[in-house]
């Protein structure tokens, strides 16, 4: 079999049902086989879109996402998408073409050392130098991507290797020395953890994306219910525990709920599950959860004690460890603690003021109409934080967002990938007017592939989250964050939506929707939100709702970078 054929064979064997990518000279042989293979291939409009789409597909389905790009610029365009997947532990296999082996290192046309470039942002990567090794390498790539702590694996295949032939078959199994993820948590450690939990007065579970990755949400919910422990989640942990449950504290950290942060600062036992103590969660690490003993359950031993000290580490698959923990636990007496928390929840609910169309209001209405049954992707910035705070996630794999890297431009292609993986589902991208412009070209891909993603642009005319930091910490000097201040006609900017009384800005997103073959509507009043959403939901088209929102609105509460979780800013006053 030829190299290119082996690649397509590996997709078949690994049950890859859709591949995202973009062609070029160095992958022509692969694309020629794709043409004949019947494989579902989605041609994006940018390689970054392909990588994020593979990522969104993977997060929504739990399967490995696959993307392909040509050598050089095609490969480097994947980099942001690969880094995004790496930071959030998303299983992905990225295939890149490379110049022929004899030309590698000669500054050949479209040559880039992509294995060198992606070494720090892949779980593993390969440059295939020998056709006989290709079947094994591809098998390993899929295995590494989706086992242990998942992550992206890149396989760089030179053009001559794609064309060369081998008799070696695609292996059925993998044997790798030095890579043996440990799934079973140590039973003695689990028993110790159970005892510590039952002895605690004020326990809190802090759940991260690892719970969702391991499909451990059911176990988490059972454990919390059985022991009566409140649960707070990270951004990527949203959906791992139903936020409609009485025990839910919502998200913690920089833009977490005040009650989650107060609970963490007061807890005597923090049970971290599939979470990595990111600085957006801990704030000032030395003052994080100051009274707490810490249990840390994680599949990745290197994440334990990386940022905080841990009393009981349990290395293993979250789902399995939680199942074992449930067996070893009885109901704890947490009533006084839960009462205290209920008081905080009443006193400090998430809220927002009045005046103009509020982004939080729009998101609440999306929840009301979808009842938590949609997949929500986000861009990065205020839009992302409001989507985290004001939509209630009740199921895993319904909130897809770039957490670790914070990649603007993630949401639209990720929504596209999620929609390709979950055809019947309603998929929304909640976007800012800045972020959406980073990969807006993927609207075409959505339209042509009949992926009826709904895009909610919260248009505040600025790079809202950065503007918020400038307002709070830089004396209101809005250096290059106001998107609408100067249009090409000079100081005044361009106003073309006077009927909606919106501030001047570019581009006209509704005209753009039309130009890309999508549908769109612009709204600026509360009363327009529900009718617009209903229309978008009923439509089988890719649909933009542009919401002209209050440009001054900020995300609260907020823990300033480097401050402790107690030091929350709750409003501008
Ligand atoms: C690729 C990339 N560039 C820059 C940033 C820094 N950044 C974080 S939030 C933000 C502003 C986002 O603005 P917008 O998309 O309009 O969303 P809003 O905050 O207004 O909701 C910027 C520039 C980033 N996260 N990603």
């Amino acid at each position: 079999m030829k190299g290119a054929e082996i690649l397509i064979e590996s997709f078949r064997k690994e049950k890859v049902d859709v591949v995202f990518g973009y062609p070029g000279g160095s992958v022509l042989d692969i694309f020629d086989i794709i043409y004949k293979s019947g494989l579902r291939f989605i041609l994006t409009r940018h390689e970054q879109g392909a990588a994020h789409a593979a990522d969104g597909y993977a997060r929504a389905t739990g399967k490995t996402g696959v993307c392909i790009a040509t050598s050089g610029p095609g490969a480097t365009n994947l980099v942001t998408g690969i880094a995004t997947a790496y930071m959030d532990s998303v299983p992905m296999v990225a295939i890149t073409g490379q110049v022929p082996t004899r030309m590698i290192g000669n500054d050949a046309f479209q040559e880039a050392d992509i294995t060198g470039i992606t070494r720090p942002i892949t779980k593993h990567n390969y440059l295939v130098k020998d056709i006989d090794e290709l079947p094994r390498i591809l098998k390993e790539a899929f295995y590494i991507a989706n086992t242990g702590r998942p992550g992206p694996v890149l396989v760089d295949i030179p053009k001559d290797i794609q064309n060369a032939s081998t008799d070696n078959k695609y292996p059925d199994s993998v044997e790798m020395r030095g890579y043996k993820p440990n799934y079973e948590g140590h039973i003695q450690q689990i028993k110790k953890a159970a005892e510590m939990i039952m002895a605690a007065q004020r326990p809190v579970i802090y759940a991260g994306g690892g719970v969702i990755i391991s499909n451990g949400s059911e176990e988490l919910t059972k454990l919390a219910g059985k022991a009566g422990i409140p649960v707070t989640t990270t951004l990527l942990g949203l959906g791992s525990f139903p936020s409609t449950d009485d025990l839910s504290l919502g998200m913690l950290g920089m833009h977490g709920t005040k009650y989650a942060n107060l609970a963490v600062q007061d807890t005597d036992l923090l049970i971290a599950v599939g979470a990595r103590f990111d600085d957006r969660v801990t704030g000032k690490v030395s003052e994080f959860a100051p009274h707490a003993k810490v249990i840390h359950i994680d599949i990745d031993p290197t994440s334990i004690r990386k940022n905080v000290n841990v009393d009981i580490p349990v290395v293993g698959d979250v789902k399995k460890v939680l199942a074992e923990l449930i067996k070893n636990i009885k109901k704890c007496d947490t009533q006084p603690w839960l009462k205290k928390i209920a008081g905080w929840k009443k006193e400090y609910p998430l809220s927002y003021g009045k005046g103009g169309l509020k982004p939080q209001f729009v998101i609440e209405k999306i929840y009301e109409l979808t009842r938590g049954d949609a997949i929500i992707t986000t861009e990065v910035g205020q839009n992302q934080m409001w989507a985290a705070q004001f939509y209630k996630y009740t199921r895993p794999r319904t909130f897809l967002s770039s957490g670790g890297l914070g990649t603007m431009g993630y949401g639209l292609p990720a929504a596209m990938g999620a929609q390709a993986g979950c055809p019947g589902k309603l998929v929304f991208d909640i976007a800012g007017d800045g972020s959406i412009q980073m990969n807006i070209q993927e609207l075409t891909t959505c339209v042509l592939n009949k992926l009826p993603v709904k895009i909610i642009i919260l248009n505040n005319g600025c790079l809202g989250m950065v503007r918020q930091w400038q307002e709070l910490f830089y004396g209101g000097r809005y250096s290059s964050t106001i998107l609408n201040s100067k249009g090409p006609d000079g100081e005044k900017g361009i106003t073309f939506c006077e009927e909606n009384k919106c501030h001047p800005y570019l581009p006209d997103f509704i005209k753009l929707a039309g130009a890309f073959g999508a549908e769109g509507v612009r709204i600026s009043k509360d009363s327009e939100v529900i009718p617009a959403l209903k229309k978008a939901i009923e439509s089988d088209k890719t649909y933009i709702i542009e919401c002209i929102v209050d440009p001054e609105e900020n995300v609260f509460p907020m823990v300033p970078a480097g401050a402790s979780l107690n030091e929350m800013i709750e409003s501008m006053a």
Side-chain angles (χ1 to χ4, degrees):
M1 243 192 214
K2 272 178 34 165
E5 288 165 335
I6 294 167
L7 178 65
I8 307 306
E9 170 78 354
S10 80
F11 293 165
R12 208 177 51 75
K13 287 262 170 79
E14 300 297 335
K15 303 202 170 28
V16 174
D17 51 17
V18 53
V19 172
F20 306 88
Y22 208 89
S26 296
V27 279
L28 268 175
D29 294 285
I30 293 171
F31 276 77
D32 196 46
I33 308 279
I34 288 175
Y35 186 77
K36 300 173 201 153
S37 69
L39 179 77
R40 184 174 178 207
F41 187 86
I42 294 186
L43 170 65
T44 59
R45 291 301 182 268
H46 190 301
E47 289 88 351
Q48 186 184 349
H52 291 322
D55 171 317
Y57 168 91
R59 293 194 211 213
T61 63
K63 297 188 255 179
T64 302
V66 179
C67 54
I68 301 187
T70 194
S71 67
T76 56
N77 271 350
L78 290 179
V79 166
T80 303
I82 294 173
T84 303
Y86 181 70
M87 292 290 279
D88 291 345
S89 310
V90 179
M92 180 191 289
V93 171
I95 305 291
T96 47
Q98 184 53 279
V99 300
T101 23
R102 73 191 142 76
M103 288 162 79
I104 291 176
N106 287 358
D107 290 343
F109 176 64
Q110 295 196 323
E111 183 192 354
D113 173 12
I114 197 64
T115 45
I117 292 168
T118 58
R119 188 148 298 134
I121 52 160
T122 46
K123 188 171 170 190
H124 198 54
N125 67 20
Y126 299 87
L127 168 61
V128 186
K129 291 193 194 127
D130 179 350
I131 179 66
D132 289 338
E133 294 195 342
L134 183 64
R136 171 187 62 81
I137 287 175
L138 288 169
K139 181 76 198 175
E140 286 180 8
F142 278 97
Y143 178 69
I144 294 169
N146 210 350
T147 52
R149 180 179 183 167
V153 177
L154 181 135
V155 185
D156 197 26
I157 314 179
K159 200 173 158 86
D160 53 326
I161 303 285
Q162 294 167 33
N163 253 314
S165 293
T166 179
D167 291 334
N168 285 356
K169 296 265 167 310
Y170 193 72
D172 290 327
S173 61
V174 171
E175 200 36 63
M176 292 176 74
R177 277 202 300 145
Y179 180 71
K180 299 228 176 340
N182 178 22
Y183 291 94
E184 313 292 336
H186 196 288
I187 191 68
Q188 289 313 324
Q189 292 294 90
I190 294 175
K191 285 192 169 148
K192 269 201 244 167
E195 272 163 30
M196 198 177 260
I197 290 171
M198 286 186 290
Q201 306 289 307
R202 303 184 306 280
V204 170
I205 294 174
Y206 145 52
V211 178
I212 294 171
I213 294 168
S214 78
N215 297 317
S217 299
E218 223 181 287
E219 286 76 5
L220 175 70
T221 310
K222 261 194 207 147
L223 174 71
K226 187 170 178 190
I229 307 176
V231 180
T232 179
T233 81
T234 64
L235 181 73
L236 294 191
L238 290 170
S240 64
F241 186 78
S243 49
T244 43
D245 194 298
D246 277 349
L247 288 170
S248 170
L249 297 171
M251 186 170 74
L252 83 165
M254 182 174 273
H255 291 296
T257 60
K258 180 158 180 176
Y259 40 92
N261 286 345
L262 289 176
V264 167
Q265 291 307 82
D266 200 26
T267 181
D268 62 350
L269 177 65
L270 192 67
I271 307 151
V273 192
R276 63 190 173 91
F277 297 90
D278 179 89
D279 55 90
R280 281 290 189 272
V281 160
T282 60
K284 190 171 187 180
V285 140
S286 57
E287 287 170 22
F288 175 68
H291 313 293
K293 290 219 158 59
V294 177
I295 296 171
H296 191 180
I297 303 167
D298 206 290
I299 190 130
D300 181 1
T302 69
S303 81
I304 286 173
R305 299 207 173 96
K306 195 169 186 172
N307 298 325
V308 301
N309 210 9
V310 171
D311 297 278
I312 303 184
V314 187
V315 176
D317 174 58
V318 161
K319 184 184 177 76
K320 290 193 170 190
V321 173
L322 289 178
E324 208 52 52
L325 208 46
I326 292 167
K327 284 192 224 154
N328 284 279
I329 254 169
K330 293 197 249 341
K331 177 143 186 60
C332 317
D333 180 22
T334 53
Q335 277 315 315
W337 176 226
L338 295 179
K339 228 173 127 191
K340 190 168 182 185
I341 287 175
W344 284 332
K345 279 190 172 179
K346 229 171 147 187
E347 204 173 337
Y348 311 113
L350 280 174
S351 63
Y352 56 93
K354 290 204 180 346
L357 178 57
K358 295 286 183 182
Q360 300 95 325
F361 177 82
V362 175
I363 292 165
E364 281 178 342
K365 295 298 155 200
I366 300 174
Y367 174 71
E368 257 175 58
L369 286 182
T370 60
R371 288 276 129 212
D373 197 27
I375 295 176
I376 306 290
T377 74
T378 76
E379 304 290 339
V380 168
Q382 293 179 316
N383 60 85
Q384 179 185 34
M385 292 301 130
W386 287 318
Q389 291 177 332
F390 288 91
Y391 191 92
K392 295 190 181 75
Y393 301 91
T394 51
R395 272 163 254 197
R397 303 192 185 283
T398 55
F399 177 74
L400 320 183
S401 190
S402 169
L405 198 66
T407 310
M408 289 172 74
Y410 170 80
L412 174 56
M416 183 170 91
Q419 188 80 79
C422 309
K425 274 264 180 191
L426 253 180
V427 183
F428 284 86
D429 172 30
I430 295 180
D433 47 326
S435 301
I436 194 67
Q437 296 188 55
M438 289 217 169
N439 275 315
I440 198 151
Q441 75 286 346
E442 298 310 333
L443 271 177
T444 309
T445 319
C446 291
V447 170
L448 289 178
N449 289 280
K450 300 202 168 25
L451 300 168
V453 169
K454 317 299 172 201
I455 301 139
I456 311 294
I457 303 180
L458 301 173
N459 188 348
N460 50 13
C462 62
L463 300 172
M465 186 56 96
V466 185
R467 187 206 54 75
Q468 174 169 342
W469 284 51
Q470 290 170 333
E471 181 177 357
L472 291 170
F473 312 119
Y474 292 85
R477 293 181 297 282
Y478 298 144
S479 177
S480 296
T481 46
I482 309 302
L483 295 172
N484 61 16
S485 61
K486 285 183 206 160
D489 66 339
E491 292 296 314
K492 289 196 295 327
I494 291 181
T495 308
F496 40 71
C497 55
E498 261 155 16
E499 72 277 16
N500 297 84
K501 288 210 223 51
C502 69
H503 35 78
Y505 71 96
L506 269 178
D508 182 329
F509 287 110
I510 304 310
K511 280 193 189 146
L512 259 181
F516 281 111
E519 297 193 336
V521 62
R522 179 179 297 124
I523 60 173
S524 57
K525 293 194 211 84
D526 286 4
S527 58
E528 295 169 316
V529 176
I530 296 252
L533 282 171
K534 280 192 171 154
K535 232 175 136 191
I537 291 170
E538 277 156 23
S539 164
D540 58 0
K541 300 266 166 31
T542 308
Y543 208 103
I544 289 184
I545 302 180
E546 183 191 10
C547 310
I548 305 299
V549 296
D550 180 356
E552 310 260 287
E553 190 63 19
N554 286 329
V555 183
F556 291 117
M558 176 181 193
V559 178
S564 90
L565 294 191
N566 300 83
E567 300 171 64
M568 271 165 280
I569 309 174
E570 284 165 77
S571 71
M572 284 311 292

